[in-house]
Short mmCIF file of all heavy atoms in Angstrom, two decimals:
data_model
loop_
_atom_site.label_atom_id
_atom_site.label_comp_id
_atom_site.label_asym_id
_atom_site.label_seq_id
_atom_site.Cartn_x
_atom_site.Cartn_y
_atom_site.Cartn_z
N GLN A 168 111.31 155.65 141.32
CA GLN A 168 109.90 155.85 141.70
C GLN A 168 109.65 155.30 143.10
O GLN A 168 108.99 155.91 143.92
CB GLN A 168 108.97 155.08 140.74
CG GLN A 168 108.69 155.74 139.43
CD GLN A 168 107.65 156.86 139.58
OE1 GLN A 168 108.00 158.01 139.55
NE2 GLN A 168 106.40 156.51 139.75
N PHE A 169 110.16 154.09 143.31
CA PHE A 169 109.97 153.41 144.60
C PHE A 169 110.52 154.28 145.73
O PHE A 169 109.84 154.55 146.72
CB PHE A 169 110.68 152.05 144.58
CG PHE A 169 110.51 151.25 145.85
CD1 PHE A 169 109.48 150.32 145.97
CD2 PHE A 169 111.37 151.43 146.93
CE1 PHE A 169 109.32 149.58 147.15
CE2 PHE A 169 111.20 150.70 148.11
CZ PHE A 169 110.18 149.78 148.22
N ASN A 170 111.77 154.74 145.53
CA ASN A 170 112.41 155.53 146.60
C ASN A 170 111.75 156.89 146.80
O ASN A 170 111.55 157.34 147.92
CB ASN A 170 113.90 155.75 146.27
CG ASN A 170 114.66 154.44 146.32
OD1 ASN A 170 114.29 153.53 147.06
ND2 ASN A 170 115.71 154.31 145.52
N GLU A 171 111.42 157.53 145.67
CA GLU A 171 110.92 158.91 145.74
C GLU A 171 109.44 158.98 146.14
O GLU A 171 109.06 159.80 146.97
CB GLU A 171 111.06 159.58 144.36
CG GLU A 171 112.49 159.86 143.94
CD GLU A 171 113.14 160.91 144.83
OE1 GLU A 171 112.52 161.99 144.99
OE2 GLU A 171 114.22 160.65 145.36
N PHE A 172 108.61 158.14 145.49
CA PHE A 172 107.16 158.34 145.60
C PHE A 172 106.40 157.21 146.28
O PHE A 172 105.30 157.42 146.78
CB PHE A 172 106.54 158.56 144.21
CG PHE A 172 107.17 159.70 143.47
CD1 PHE A 172 108.00 159.47 142.38
CD2 PHE A 172 106.96 161.01 143.88
CE1 PHE A 172 108.59 160.53 141.70
CE2 PHE A 172 107.54 162.07 143.21
CZ PHE A 172 108.36 161.83 142.12
N ARG A 173 106.93 155.99 146.25
CA ARG A 173 106.18 154.87 146.84
C ARG A 173 106.48 154.72 148.33
O ARG A 173 105.59 154.56 149.14
CB ARG A 173 106.54 153.56 146.12
CG ARG A 173 106.39 153.61 144.61
CD ARG A 173 104.98 153.32 144.17
NE ARG A 173 104.86 153.35 142.74
CZ ARG A 173 104.17 154.25 142.04
NH1 ARG A 173 103.53 155.23 142.66
NH2 ARG A 173 104.10 154.20 140.73
N ASP A 174 107.77 154.76 148.65
CA ASP A 174 108.20 154.54 150.04
C ASP A 174 108.12 155.87 150.80
O ASP A 174 109.10 156.58 150.97
CB ASP A 174 109.64 154.00 150.02
CG ASP A 174 110.18 153.76 151.42
OD1 ASP A 174 109.36 153.74 152.37
OD2 ASP A 174 111.40 153.61 151.55
N LEU A 175 106.92 156.18 151.28
CA LEU A 175 106.67 157.52 151.82
C LEU A 175 107.43 157.79 153.11
O LEU A 175 107.87 158.91 153.35
CB LEU A 175 105.16 157.72 152.05
CG LEU A 175 104.30 157.59 150.77
CD1 LEU A 175 102.82 157.62 151.10
CD2 LEU A 175 104.65 158.71 149.78
N ASN A 176 107.60 156.76 153.95
CA ASN A 176 108.32 157.02 155.21
C ASN A 176 109.81 156.67 155.13
O ASN A 176 110.53 156.69 156.12
CB ASN A 176 107.67 156.27 156.38
CG ASN A 176 107.72 154.76 156.19
OD1 ASN A 176 108.33 154.27 155.23
ND2 ASN A 176 107.09 154.02 157.08
N LYS A 177 110.26 156.36 153.90
CA LYS A 177 111.69 156.15 153.60
C LYS A 177 112.35 155.08 154.49
O LYS A 177 113.49 155.23 154.92
CB LYS A 177 112.49 157.47 153.75
CG LYS A 177 111.92 158.64 152.96
CD LYS A 177 111.98 158.42 151.47
CE LYS A 177 111.39 159.54 150.66
NZ LYS A 177 110.45 159.12 149.63
N ASP A 178 111.61 153.98 154.74
CA ASP A 178 112.23 152.90 155.54
C ASP A 178 112.65 151.73 154.64
O ASP A 178 112.97 150.65 155.12
CB ASP A 178 111.29 152.42 156.64
CG ASP A 178 110.02 151.76 156.08
OD1 ASP A 178 109.81 151.84 154.85
OD2 ASP A 178 109.23 151.19 156.87
N GLY A 179 112.62 151.95 153.30
CA GLY A 179 113.11 150.92 152.38
C GLY A 179 112.11 149.85 152.03
O GLY A 179 112.43 148.90 151.32
N LYS A 180 110.88 149.99 152.52
CA LYS A 180 109.86 148.96 152.20
C LYS A 180 108.48 149.60 152.25
O LYS A 180 108.30 150.66 152.86
CB LYS A 180 109.96 147.79 153.18
CG LYS A 180 109.83 148.21 154.62
CD LYS A 180 110.25 147.10 155.57
CE LYS A 180 110.08 147.62 157.01
NZ LYS A 180 110.51 146.70 158.01
N LEU A 181 107.52 148.95 151.61
CA LEU A 181 106.16 149.47 151.59
C LEU A 181 105.29 148.71 152.58
O LEU A 181 105.24 147.48 152.56
CB LEU A 181 105.54 149.31 150.19
CG LEU A 181 106.31 149.88 148.99
CD1 LEU A 181 105.47 149.76 147.72
CD2 LEU A 181 106.70 151.33 149.22
N ASP A 182 104.60 149.47 153.44
CA ASP A 182 103.62 148.84 154.32
C ASP A 182 102.24 148.94 153.66
O ASP A 182 102.11 149.44 152.55
CB ASP A 182 103.62 149.50 155.71
CG ASP A 182 103.35 151.01 155.62
OD1 ASP A 182 102.67 151.44 154.66
OD2 ASP A 182 103.82 151.76 156.50
N LYS A 183 101.21 148.48 154.35
CA LYS A 183 99.87 148.45 153.75
C LYS A 183 99.41 149.84 153.31
O LYS A 183 98.79 150.00 152.26
CB LYS A 183 98.87 147.89 154.75
CG LYS A 183 98.75 146.39 154.68
CD LYS A 183 97.49 145.98 155.43
CE LYS A 183 97.53 144.52 155.77
NZ LYS A 183 96.57 144.17 156.80
N GLU A 184 99.67 150.83 154.14
CA GLU A 184 99.21 152.19 153.85
C GLU A 184 99.88 152.72 152.57
O GLU A 184 99.25 153.35 151.73
CB GLU A 184 99.53 153.10 155.05
CG GLU A 184 98.55 154.25 155.25
CD GLU A 184 97.11 153.94 154.86
OE1 GLU A 184 96.47 153.03 155.42
OE2 GLU A 184 96.61 154.62 153.94
N GLU A 185 101.18 152.43 152.43
CA GLU A 185 101.92 152.88 151.25
C GLU A 185 101.46 152.14 149.99
O GLU A 185 101.40 152.71 148.91
CB GLU A 185 103.43 152.71 151.48
CG GLU A 185 103.98 153.72 152.48
CD GLU A 185 105.36 153.36 153.02
OE1 GLU A 185 105.67 152.16 153.17
OE2 GLU A 185 106.14 154.29 153.30
N ILE A 186 101.12 150.86 150.16
CA ILE A 186 100.60 150.08 149.02
C ILE A 186 99.26 150.66 148.59
O ILE A 186 98.99 150.82 147.40
CB ILE A 186 100.48 148.59 149.38
CG1 ILE A 186 101.88 147.98 149.51
CG2 ILE A 186 99.67 147.82 148.33
CD1 ILE A 186 101.91 146.58 150.07
N ARG A 187 98.41 150.98 149.57
CA ARG A 187 97.11 151.59 149.26
C ARG A 187 97.31 152.89 148.47
O ARG A 187 96.64 153.15 147.48
CB ARG A 187 96.35 151.87 150.56
CG ARG A 187 95.12 152.73 150.37
CD ARG A 187 94.60 153.19 151.73
NE ARG A 187 93.82 152.15 152.34
CZ ARG A 187 92.51 151.97 152.14
NH1 ARG A 187 91.85 152.79 151.34
NH2 ARG A 187 91.85 151.02 152.73
N HIS A 188 98.23 153.70 148.91
CA HIS A 188 98.52 154.98 148.28
C HIS A 188 98.98 154.77 146.83
O HIS A 188 98.69 155.56 145.94
CB HIS A 188 99.61 155.69 149.08
CG HIS A 188 99.68 157.16 148.82
ND1 HIS A 188 100.49 157.70 147.84
CD2 HIS A 188 99.03 158.20 149.38
CE1 HIS A 188 100.33 159.01 147.82
NE2 HIS A 188 99.46 159.34 148.74
N TRP A 189 99.72 153.68 146.62
CA TRP A 189 100.26 153.37 145.29
C TRP A 189 99.17 152.85 144.35
O TRP A 189 98.99 153.35 143.24
CB TRP A 189 101.41 152.37 145.46
CG TRP A 189 101.80 151.59 144.23
CD1 TRP A 189 101.83 152.05 142.95
CD2 TRP A 189 102.21 150.22 144.18
NE1 TRP A 189 102.25 151.04 142.09
CE2 TRP A 189 102.49 149.92 142.83
CE3 TRP A 189 102.40 149.23 145.14
CZ2 TRP A 189 102.93 148.65 142.42
CZ3 TRP A 189 102.84 147.98 144.74
CH2 TRP A 189 103.10 147.70 143.38
N ILE A 190 98.41 151.83 144.78
CA ILE A 190 97.49 151.19 143.83
C ILE A 190 96.10 151.82 143.82
O ILE A 190 95.34 151.65 142.87
CB ILE A 190 97.36 149.66 144.07
CG1 ILE A 190 96.84 149.37 145.48
CG2 ILE A 190 98.67 148.95 143.84
CD1 ILE A 190 96.45 147.92 145.68
N LEU A 191 95.75 152.55 144.88
CA LEU A 191 94.43 153.19 144.95
C LEU A 191 94.59 154.67 145.31
O LEU A 191 94.12 155.11 146.36
CB LEU A 191 93.55 152.50 146.00
CG LEU A 191 93.30 151.00 145.83
CD1 LEU A 191 92.72 150.40 147.09
CD2 LEU A 191 92.38 150.73 144.65
N PRO A 192 95.30 155.43 144.48
CA PRO A 192 95.57 156.83 144.85
C PRO A 192 94.28 157.63 145.00
O PRO A 192 93.39 157.55 144.16
CB PRO A 192 96.43 157.36 143.70
CG PRO A 192 96.17 156.44 142.56
CD PRO A 192 95.80 155.11 143.14
N GLN A 193 94.19 158.36 146.09
CA GLN A 193 92.99 159.14 146.40
C GLN A 193 92.74 160.25 145.39
O GLN A 193 91.63 160.58 145.06
CB GLN A 193 93.14 159.79 147.79
CG GLN A 193 93.04 158.81 148.93
CD GLN A 193 91.69 158.11 148.98
OE1 GLN A 193 90.66 158.75 149.14
NE2 GLN A 193 91.67 156.79 148.80
N ASP A 194 93.83 160.84 144.94
CA ASP A 194 93.70 162.08 144.16
C ASP A 194 93.75 161.81 142.65
O ASP A 194 93.98 162.72 141.87
CB ASP A 194 94.80 163.06 144.55
CG ASP A 194 96.17 162.39 144.55
OD1 ASP A 194 96.23 161.18 144.26
OD2 ASP A 194 97.17 163.07 144.82
N TYR A 195 93.58 160.53 142.24
CA TYR A 195 93.67 160.25 140.81
C TYR A 195 92.36 159.62 140.35
O TYR A 195 91.93 158.60 140.86
CB TYR A 195 94.83 159.30 140.52
CG TYR A 195 95.04 159.07 139.04
CD1 TYR A 195 95.58 160.07 138.24
CD2 TYR A 195 94.69 157.86 138.45
CE1 TYR A 195 95.76 159.88 136.88
CE2 TYR A 195 94.87 157.66 137.08
CZ TYR A 195 95.41 158.67 136.31
OH TYR A 195 95.59 158.48 134.97
N ASP A 196 91.75 160.23 139.37
CA ASP A 196 90.49 159.73 138.82
C ASP A 196 90.75 159.30 137.38
O ASP A 196 90.99 160.12 136.51
CB ASP A 196 89.46 160.86 138.89
CG ASP A 196 88.10 160.43 138.36
OD1 ASP A 196 88.04 159.49 137.54
OD2 ASP A 196 87.10 161.05 138.75
N HIS A 197 90.72 157.98 137.14
CA HIS A 197 91.05 157.45 135.80
C HIS A 197 90.16 158.04 134.72
O HIS A 197 90.63 158.40 133.64
CB HIS A 197 90.90 155.92 135.78
CG HIS A 197 92.00 155.22 136.51
ND1 HIS A 197 93.21 154.95 135.94
CD2 HIS A 197 92.08 154.75 137.79
CE1 HIS A 197 93.99 154.34 136.82
NE2 HIS A 197 93.32 154.21 137.95
N ALA A 198 88.86 158.13 135.01
CA ALA A 198 87.92 158.62 133.99
C ALA A 198 88.22 160.09 133.67
O ALA A 198 88.20 160.50 132.51
CB ALA A 198 86.49 158.46 134.49
N GLN A 199 88.52 160.85 134.71
CA GLN A 199 88.84 162.28 134.52
C GLN A 199 90.11 162.41 133.66
O GLN A 199 90.16 163.22 132.73
CB GLN A 199 89.07 162.92 135.90
CG GLN A 199 89.56 164.35 135.86
CD GLN A 199 88.40 165.33 135.77
OE1 GLN A 199 87.26 164.96 135.98
NE2 GLN A 199 88.68 166.56 135.42
N ALA A 200 91.12 161.60 133.99
CA ALA A 200 92.39 161.68 133.26
C ALA A 200 92.19 161.31 131.79
O ALA A 200 92.70 161.98 130.89
CB ALA A 200 93.41 160.74 133.90
N GLU A 201 91.42 160.27 131.54
CA GLU A 201 91.18 159.83 130.16
C GLU A 201 90.38 160.89 129.39
O GLU A 201 90.67 161.20 128.24
CB GLU A 201 90.41 158.51 130.19
CG GLU A 201 90.01 158.04 128.83
CD GLU A 201 90.64 156.72 128.42
OE1 GLU A 201 91.07 155.97 129.29
OE2 GLU A 201 90.71 156.47 127.21
N ALA A 202 89.36 161.46 130.06
CA ALA A 202 88.53 162.49 129.41
C ALA A 202 89.39 163.70 129.04
O ALA A 202 89.31 164.23 127.93
CB ALA A 202 87.39 162.90 130.33
N ARG A 203 90.21 164.14 129.96
CA ARG A 203 91.09 165.30 129.70
C ARG A 203 92.01 165.03 128.52
O ARG A 203 92.23 165.88 127.66
CB ARG A 203 91.94 165.59 130.93
CG ARG A 203 91.22 166.42 131.95
CD ARG A 203 92.20 166.89 133.01
NE ARG A 203 91.53 167.66 134.03
CZ ARG A 203 91.87 167.65 135.31
NH1 ARG A 203 92.88 166.91 135.71
NH2 ARG A 203 91.23 168.39 136.17
N HIS A 204 92.58 163.83 128.51
CA HIS A 204 93.51 163.44 127.46
C HIS A 204 92.80 163.46 126.09
O HIS A 204 93.32 164.00 125.11
CB HIS A 204 94.04 162.04 127.77
CG HIS A 204 94.90 161.45 126.70
ND1 HIS A 204 96.08 162.02 126.29
CD2 HIS A 204 94.72 160.34 125.93
CE1 HIS A 204 96.60 161.28 125.32
NE2 HIS A 204 95.80 160.26 125.08
N LEU A 205 91.59 162.89 126.03
CA LEU A 205 90.84 162.85 124.76
C LEU A 205 90.50 164.25 124.27
O LEU A 205 90.62 164.55 123.08
CB LEU A 205 89.56 162.03 124.93
CG LEU A 205 89.75 160.50 125.07
CD1 LEU A 205 88.44 159.84 125.49
CD2 LEU A 205 90.25 159.88 123.77
N VAL A 206 90.10 165.12 125.19
CA VAL A 206 89.76 166.50 124.79
C VAL A 206 91.02 167.22 124.31
O VAL A 206 91.04 167.83 123.24
CB VAL A 206 89.07 167.27 125.94
CG1 VAL A 206 88.94 168.75 125.60
CG2 VAL A 206 87.69 166.67 126.24
N TYR A 207 92.08 167.08 125.09
CA TYR A 207 93.33 167.77 124.74
C TYR A 207 93.83 167.35 123.35
O TYR A 207 94.23 168.18 122.53
CB TYR A 207 94.40 167.46 125.80
CG TYR A 207 95.73 168.10 125.49
CD1 TYR A 207 95.95 169.45 125.75
CD2 TYR A 207 96.77 167.36 124.92
CE1 TYR A 207 97.16 170.05 125.45
CE2 TYR A 207 97.98 167.94 124.61
CZ TYR A 207 98.18 169.29 124.88
OH TYR A 207 99.37 169.89 124.58
#
Side-chain angles (χ1 to χ4, degrees):
Q168 279 282 105
F169 181 94
N170 293 331
E171 291 293 309
F172 304 108
R173 307 275 181 247
D174 179 15
L175 300 172
N176 63 5
K177 308 295 178 229
D178 65 351
K180 56 193 180 184
L181 307 186
D182 58 28
K183 271 195 197 163
E184 211 33 60
E185 288 165 327
I186 289 171
R187 169 191 279 273
H188 199 269
W189 161 37
I190 60 169
L191 302 167
Q193 288 298 299
D194 49 359
Y195 185 72
D196 181 336
H197 287 277
Q199 174 86 14
E201 175 116 21
R203 276 191 182 146
H204 174 62
L205 288 169
V206 171
Y207 178 78

